[in-house]
């Protein structure tokens, strides 16, 4: 049987850099020649990586960033057509793209749908103007509501991102905001707890004492509120921060990551995972746009690779697999020596952090809340 594959495309340009963001992004300053050269390099990189992967079933294509909704729709279509030509698309191939809900971007939704995008992941983040301003967003709540309406008309599938545990946020305010988001009708909601990433503007503000985030108890309460409201509205919490109305609404591409399926990464800073003859390879593309383009021009490939040893590959599988409701099989954990009757596994079951399952390691809701600590305990 032909092995499956996903494709991730990183488009690094943003109209504005958010203060909480630690992704590989740059300001979009209208460098159309550079953007055309980058699109050319992405296509060439895909072609070169086909030589590495061989024939595969293509499960998903995901345009992330950055803000890929700023990408020329004709270039989006070109990348999609290239990937579909190189690998064999499954009948229900999922093609997704991230967007921000500015009016300018919403005006491009029809063109992006015509280019082949079926699923839009919309970075709403909040539904009140004060919070959006504090998060450094370049849209207001009205634009977010208009974008959701426009996306619902343009695309078969819509997911919205929200950020909670924001400075000054109360449980009552989050309940009202999340209820409104649900009422707007998306079939998939990704609520992320605000994380202060090292080196970001928010990190510096926390260090100065000018930004205070909710304490652990309030953050835990907001997490439980999130689960409660989305579950009551018919959403399955199939991953720590991803909720879908039924299995068909789940993100096919994100499941590629969480289930340990191979994926090609193209574009500056993009990561990939490929099963190669010498072992499972972790690929990382050059972060700087000019370096990425030069590497593709010179070598045909835009990345550097590292072969993971069996323990590293199993640990990564554990960390990602415990994020989803179906967990990870014990036979995949052999390099780490994890078995159903291992004392530390039994201790975590008795503590209510793991489900009592003889075949799979699966986190409970409480386990997902302390996922970093849980996976650290199992991996050591």
């Amino acid at each position: 049987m032909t092995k499956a594959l996903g494709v991730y495309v990183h488009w690094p340009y943003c109209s504005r850099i958010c203060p909480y963001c630690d992704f590989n992004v740059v300001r979009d300053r209208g460098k159309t020649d550079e953007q055309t050269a980058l699109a050319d390099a992405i296509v060439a990189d895909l072609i070169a990586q086909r030589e590495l992967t061989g024939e595969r079933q293509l499960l998903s294509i995901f345009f992330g960033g950055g803000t890929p909704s700023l990408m020329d729709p004709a270039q989006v279509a070109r990348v999609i057509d290239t990937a579909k030509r190189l690998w064999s698309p499954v009948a229900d191939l999922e093609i997704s793209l991230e967007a921000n809900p500015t009016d300018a971007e919403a005006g491009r939704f029809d063109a992006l749908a015509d280019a082949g995008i079926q699923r839009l992941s919309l970075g709403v983040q909040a539904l009140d103007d004060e919070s959006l301003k504090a998060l450094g967003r370049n849209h207001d709540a009205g634009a977010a509501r208009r974008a959701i309406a426009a996306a619902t008309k343009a695309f078969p599938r819509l997911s919205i991102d929200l950020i909670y545990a924001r400075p000054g946020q109360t449980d009552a305010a989050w309940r009202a905001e999340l209820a409104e988001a649900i009422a707007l009708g998306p079939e998939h909601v990704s609520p992320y707890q605000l994380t202060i990433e090292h080196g970001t503007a928010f990190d510096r503000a926390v260090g100065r004492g000018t930004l205070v985030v909710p304490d652990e108890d309030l953050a835990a309460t907001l997490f439980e509120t999130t689960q409660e409201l989305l579950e009551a509205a018919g959403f399955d919490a199939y991953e720590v921060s991803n909720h879908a109305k039924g299995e068909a609404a789940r993100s096919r591409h994100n499941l590629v990551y969480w289930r340990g399926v191979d994926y090609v990464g193209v574009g500056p800073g993009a990561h990939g995972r490929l099963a190669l003859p010498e072992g499972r390879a972790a690929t990382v593309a050059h972060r700087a746009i000019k370096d990425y383009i030069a590497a593709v021009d010179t070598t045909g490939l835009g990345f550097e690779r590292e072969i993971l040893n069996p323990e590293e590959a199993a640990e990564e599988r554990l960390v990602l697999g415990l994020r989803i409701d179906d967990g990870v099989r014990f036979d995949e954990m052999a390099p780490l020596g994890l078995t159903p009757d291992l004392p530390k596994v039994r201790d975590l079951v008795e503590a209510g952090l793991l489900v009592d399952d003889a075949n799979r390691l699966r986190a409970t809701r409480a386990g997902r809340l302390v996922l970093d600590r849980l996976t650290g305990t199992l991996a050591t």
Side-chain angles (χ1 to χ4, degrees), residues 318 338 344-345 348 353 371-380:
L318 172 70
L338 296 177
K344 66 179 174 181
V345 172
L348 291 168
L353 300 179
L371 191 63
D372 289 344
R373 192 170 74 209
L374 175 62
T375 52
T377 299
L378 287 167
T380 56

Side-chain angles (χ1 to χ4, degrees), residues 28 43-44 75 81 93 99 168 173 177 180 190 204 206 210 254 286 296 356 380:
D28 185 348
V43 167
Q75 296 288 15
D81 291 344
L93 171 68
E177 186 175 3
E180 180 185 357
S190 298
R204 293 188 291 273
V206 169
T210 57
N254 285 342
H286 297 279
V296 173
D356 193 359
T380 56

Side-chain angles (χ1 to χ4, degrees), residues 24-92:
N24 187 39
V25 297
V26 297
R27 284 286 301 274
D28 185 348
R29 301 186 185 277
K31 296 181 178 179
T32 55
D33 290 345
E34 179 185 82
Q35 292 178 17
T36 298
L38 177 56
D40 290 344
I42 286 171
V43 167
D45 198 357
L46 284 172
I47 293 169
Q49 293 202 48
R50 171 61 172 79
E51 296 299 313
L52 291 177
T53 68
E55 175 59 21
R56 297 290 189 96
Q57 282 191 310
L58 182 60
L59 293 181
S60 64
I61 305 170
F62 190 98
F63 291 82
T67 310
S69 50
L70 297 174
M71 193 174 178
D72 181 350
Q75 296 288 15
V76 172
R78 180 185 173 206
V79 171
I80 292 171
D81 291 344
T82 299
K84 290 168 70 175
R85 185 179 74 250
L86 294 171
W87 296 283
S88 300
V90 296
D92 55 348

